[in-house]
Amino acid sequence: MTRITLLISFILVATNQLTAQTEQPIIKTDSLKEVIISSTRIDLPFKENSRTINIMSSEAIKRSAAVTVSEVLQQIAGVDVRRRGTGGSQADLFIRGGGFDQTLLLIDGIKMDDAQTGHHTLNAALPLEIIKRIEVIKGPAARVFGQNAFTGAINIVTKSNVDNSVSANLETGSFGQLNGSITAGSKLENSSHLIHIGKMTSEGYRNNTDYDNTNLFLKSVFNKNKQAIEMITTFSERKFGAENFYTTNPTFNEYEETQNSLVAFTTTFKSNNLKIQPRIYWKRNQDIFLLKRFEPEFFRNIHISNKIGAEANASYTSTIGITGFGIDLSQTYLRSNNLGQHNRFMATAFLEHRFQLANNRLDITPGVAMTYFSDFKFNAFPGVDIGFDITNNLKAYGNIGFTYRIPTYTDLYYTDPRTNGNADLEPEEAFAQEIGIKYNDLKFRASLSVFNRDAQNLIDYVRPNTIEEIFTATNIAEVNTKGLEVDVAYKFKINNFNQTFAFGYSYLEDDILEQNEELSRYALNTLKHHYTTRLSTQLLKNLSQSIIYKYAERTTGQTYNVWDASIMLQLKQVELSVTASNIFDADYIESGFTPMPPSNVLFGMRYTFK
């Protein structure tokens, strides 16, 4: 703790000597009013959307004191990211108390769901350097995105404005952390390209928590002057010690390797009233798990899943409003030594229409998604969003909808000495409602929402009594979830420099019938109270700093407070940074049996060639 304080103080003092040499302030005005939410068929400005949506812009991400997407998402109230270690090695994603299989992750609108297990959702998360913004859509989103968006969806939007530049980043710090990356942009006459190559390594903060992660990303736009075609290619490989991820046996030294990749091609056809966006994509995930790292023959799982998809989304504007429609076809292949070999075909048709009444102050958007699964037959998810503009900046809204999730292959077929899948599982179903009010102008943004979700057949791993050691996948009869969320951000100036104060709070109450904490593996560890605060300031010309506070109280009674901070100094083409995590050395666990790291620090330097 003392060393971190001294290092931060040193940078503050040194900056007073360097300010005269610097040129441009690095905090920019970032208005969410102009952001177009484009992850759906009907493109709408942020302020006109009649749902609860949180946006983390690239500027906010840069000042979040976060190194990975998992750490960024933890700063959004109502989003519960339960990490098992650092460096993005593995983290489970929850929204509004749902399970880790119930949140859909998208990259530029491309669905990154994995039929094997939701444990791999965040394997597809991208490096922060190439992210333009992160959109978090809360509440039932099945009618917009399909069955995996049971409690919400997260869309990672990558950068599109490419300049001719190259930046190199190097970071080092506690636990032998060594991170390096190169990000390059090339803007040509008829094409543009954005490429990122990155490596993150660490010796680990305790026994068997080392990791070696590789990230590759390429985004290209071809034929820009005629019919532009966008290509996205991503590859993420993670090799990490998985100490106590799934067991408490200190002799096992669990180990895991994952690979996640995506190749997608998208284009857009536009006329006066019609927009059509077809896409084809291939997503692959590979997972190798060893119960004993140094005895691979003792217990080893190998899973490989492939998803090949084609979709077309469209919108048509007429005198009665905007109609959105689309179709999504996909074929999934799973090969596993534990789960077996399985194929699944899925077809989803989407239809929605946005009516505007009362001089465009009232908007009503009913819609439905209709899905056919080759192994779970036909299902439909209707819903409606309603919004009313009280003033130019103040909007009341509400939405209701049905949502649905079929079991993963892990739910259905997984077996190990303490776990049994259940091939007779029924799909999860829920009916959700939400009302809210939000205000948005250039300086101040605030929202308040209350929600309720009545679910049936939620899947949990349970055992009949404390003597029985085997947990079996089971449909819970009924679960009621209700809560409220508050989100506020205020921008102001000191000495003509931009400052931002933001906080969020969520309260969640789960009424899980006939459940006992000792008999349930997942369902009883939701965030009851979740409070986050971020203060990003700039007091000197090229020095900015942020401090982030997170408070969590889980339904098990566990509470913890975590403080993070960062300082960034811009010296022409060089950017220096110090990021301190868990600066007050909180002792806490986010998931399972894995204690999170103690106080640690990361030093960084980025150089941009132009």
Side-chain angles (χ1 to χ4, degrees):
M1 180 64 204
T2 304
R3 286 181 292 175
I4 294 174
T5 305
L6 288 173
L7 288 166
I8 294 175
S9 301
F10 172 77
I11 288 181
L12 287 170
V13 172
T15 304
N16 290 321
Q17 307 299 320
L18 293 167
T19 304
Q21 303 174 27
T22 58
E23 295 186 352
Q24 299 295 327
I26 61 175
I27 291 185
K28 305 174 183 178
T29 301
D30 186 14
S31 174
L32 292 181
K33 293 180 71 173
E34 307 304 321
V35 171
I36 302 297
I37 305 300
S38 57
S39 54
T40 62
R41 281 150 289 281
I42 299 177
D43 296 345
L44 288 175
F46 172 76
K47 65 170 292 190
E48 295 183 20
N49 211 289
S50 297
R51 299 188 68 90
T52 299
I53 299 178
N54 295 90
I55 303 290
M56 287 290 283
S57 67
S58 58
E59 290 298 317
I61 292 171
K62 192 172 183 179
R63 282 149 189 80
S64 64
V67 180
T68 65
V69 167
S70 299
E71 296 166 11
V72 172
L73 293 174
Q74 284 189 322
Q75 299 176 25
I76 300 175
V79 178
D80 182 11
V81 180
R82 305 180 197 172
R83 297 172 296 164
R84 291 181 172 94
T86 57
S89 296
Q90 189 186 97
D92 290 337
L93 178 60
F94 306 74
I95 291 181
R96 290 183 171 177
F100 58 82
D101 291 310
Q102 296 175 344
T103 299
L104 178 65
L105 181 71
L106 304 101
I107 295 177
D108 287 341
I110 305 166
K111 302 176 184 68
M112 300 299 292
D113 55 294
D114 188 86
Q116 180 202 333
T117 174
H119 279 310
H120 296 318
T121 296
L122 285 173
N123 288 2
L126 299 176
L128 300 183
E129 291 93 329
I130 50 90
I131 296 176
K132 181 179 181 180
R133 67 178 181 273
I134 300 175
E135 304 169 351
V136 180
I137 301 98
K138 297 176 181 175
R143 76 163 182 83
V144 178
F145 300 110
Q147 68 99 14
N148 278 90
F150 192 90
T151 59
I154 292 175
N155 185 36
I156 298 176
V157 181
T158 61
K159 292 180 178 178
S160 54
N161 295 327
V162 176
D163 296 323
N164 291 317
S165 64
V166 177
S167 67
N169 184 51
L170 182 65
E171 297 173 320
T172 186
S174 306
F175 320 130
Q177 293 180 82
L178 182 61
N179 306 331
S181 66
I182 296 176
T183 306
S186 176
K187 189 175 184 180
L188 305 176
E189 181 180 351
N190 200 26
S191 66
S192 62
H193 310 274
L194 176 64
I195 184 170
H196 174 90
I197 302 172
K199 192 83 168 175
M200 301 177 65
T201 63
S202 172
E203 298 171 358
Y205 61 97
R206 63 190 186 97
N207 177 59
N208 195 36
T209 57
D210 58 301
Y211 59 81
D212 184 348
N213 301 338
T214 302
N215 291 298
L216 305 175
F217 175 85
L218 172 63
K219 181 177 183 178
S220 297
V221 180
F222 303 100
N223 201 35
K224 288 196 304 181
N225 299 330
K226 293 183 180 180
Q227 181 61 47
I229 299 175
E230 180 181 279
M231 180 190 75
I232 288 183
T233 303
T234 72
F235 176 79
S236 172
E237 181 179 61
R238 299 175 182 179
K239 303 176 181 180
F240 50 93
E243 189 73 9
N244 303 135
F245 277 21
Y246 308 107
T247 76
T248 57
N249 192 317
T251 66
F252 279 174
N253 292 318
E254 300 146 271
Y255 177 76
E256 194 160 4
E257 294 184 5
T258 66
Q259 290 182 352
N260 189 285
S261 56
L262 169 71
V263 178
F265 294 89
T266 306
T267 190
T268 303
F269 300 95
K270 286 185 179 180
S271 64
N272 290 335
N273 298 322
L274 180 65
K275 172 186 172 183
I276 302 176
Q277 187 177 70
R279 171 185 292 133
I280 58 173
Y281 62 95
W282 167 46
K283 176 188 175 296
R284 181 183 185 274
N285 192 82
Q286 177 176 298
D287 177 32
I288 300 175
F289 174 75
L290 304 179
L291 193 57
K292 290 189 176 183
R293 181 171 186 169
F294 306 108
E295 298 179 40
E297 68 282 356
F298 179 75
F299 184 90
R300 180 175 65 173
N301 283 332
I302 301 178
H303 317 286
I304 300 175
S305 63
N306 285 276
K307 180 185 178 184
I308 300 172
E311 62 178 309
N313 293 302
S315 63
Y316 180 76
T317 303
S318 65
T319 55
I320 60 171
I322 305 174
T323 303
F325 52 98
I327 187 167
D328 183 0
L329 306 174
S330 65
Q331 179 75 42
T332 298
Y333 304 90
L334 177 75
R335 301 294 180 265
S336 168
N337 69 321
N338 188 304
L339 305 174
Q341 299 187 15
H342 305 278
N343 301 330
R344 173 182 293 154
F345 174 75
M346 183 178 73
T348 304
F350 301 93
L351 178 65
E352 58 186 331
H353 184 85
R354 179 179 169 88
F355 298 93
Q356 288 190 284
L357 309 169
N359 294 322
N360 293 333
R361 295 179 66 185
L362 174 66
D363 60 83
I364 303 174
T365 309
V368 63
M370 296 165 287
T371 300
Y372 170 79
F373 302 95
S374 58
D375 49 353
F376 284 93
K377 306 308 176 187
F378 176 84
N379 293 274
F381 325 113
V384 61
D385 302 339
I386 301 175
F388 182 76
D389 294 332
I390 301 171
T391 69
N392 240 6
N393 297 318
L394 184 64
K395 185 183 187 77
Y397 64 95
N399 54 76
I400 59 174
F402 290 89
T403 190
Y404 182 92
R405 182 185 78 86
I406 63 172
T408 64
Y409 288 127
T410 297
D411 294 332
L412 294 168
Y413 304 115
Y414 185 77
T415 60
D416 69 26
R418 295 198 61 191
T419 308
N420 275 337
N422 182 354
D424 296 323
L425 287 172
E426 296 291 328
E428 299 177 329
E429 302 175 1
F431 177 57
Q433 316 91 43
E434 175 185 29
I435 58 172
I437 189 167
K438 53 187 175 183
Y439 180 88
N440 187 32
D441 65 23
L442 290 175
K443 291 185 177 180
F444 182 72
R445 184 181 79 254
S447 67
L448 169 66
S449 61
V450 294
F451 57 89
N452 181 77
R453 184 173 66 246
D454 296 301
Q456 296 180 342
N457 294 331
L458 285 193
I459 298 170
D460 186 19
Y461 287 79
V462 298
R463 55 182 178 173
N465 52 62
T466 56
I467 299 174
E468 176 64 57
E469 293 186 353
I470 297 177
F471 289 82
T472 301
T474 306
N475 289 111
I476 302 172
E478 292 180 35
V479 180
N480 174 258
T481 303
K482 52 181 170 286
L484 66 86
E485 292 173 349
V486 178
D487 182 59
V488 175
Y490 177 59
K491 296 182 179 181
F492 57 99
K493 288 184 180 289
I494 296 178
N495 296 330
N496 209 34
F497 297 127
N498 294 312
Q499 326 289 326
T500 302
F501 174 74
F503 77 86
Y505 169 74
S506 69
Y507 168 78
L508 186 73
E509 182 178 323
D510 266 334
D511 180 13
I512 303 178
L513 302 181
E514 300 177 359
Q515 288 296 290
N516 182 306
E517 178 181 345
E518 295 183 338
L519 307 182
S520 169
R521 178 172 289 181
Y522 294 120
L524 293 176
N525 195 30
T526 55
L527 279 176
K528 185 174 184 179
H529 297 281
H530 185 203
Y531 179 82
T532 66
T533 300
R534 176 172 58 88
L535 176 63
S536 297
T537 60
Q538 183 179 5
L539 303 178
L540 300 173
K541 189 173 184 181
N542 284 76
L543 182 74
S544 65
Q545 48 276 320
S546 297
I547 187 163
I548 291 89
Y549 168 67
K550 295 169 287 186
Y551 169 81
E553 178 184 333
R554 299 195 175 274
T555 51
T556 55
Q558 180 194 17
T559 64
Y560 49 88
N561 301 269
V562 179
W563 293 79
D564 304 324
S566 68
I567 294 178
M568 287 182 290
L569 174 64
Q570 189 80 37
L571 302 172
K572 294 186 178 179
Q573 293 171 262
V574 178
E575 180 184 276
L576 303 176
S577 64
V578 178
T579 301
S581 301
N582 192 11
I583 56 179
F584 292 110
D585 210 19
D587 183 11
Y588 68 106
I589 292 175
E590 292 177 356
S591 179
F593 320 106
T594 310
M596 295 307 297
S599 176
N600 61 93
V601 64
L602 187 66
F603 303 93
M605 181 180 72
R606 179 180 298 278
Y607 187 88
T608 301
F609 305 85
K610 293 185 177 180

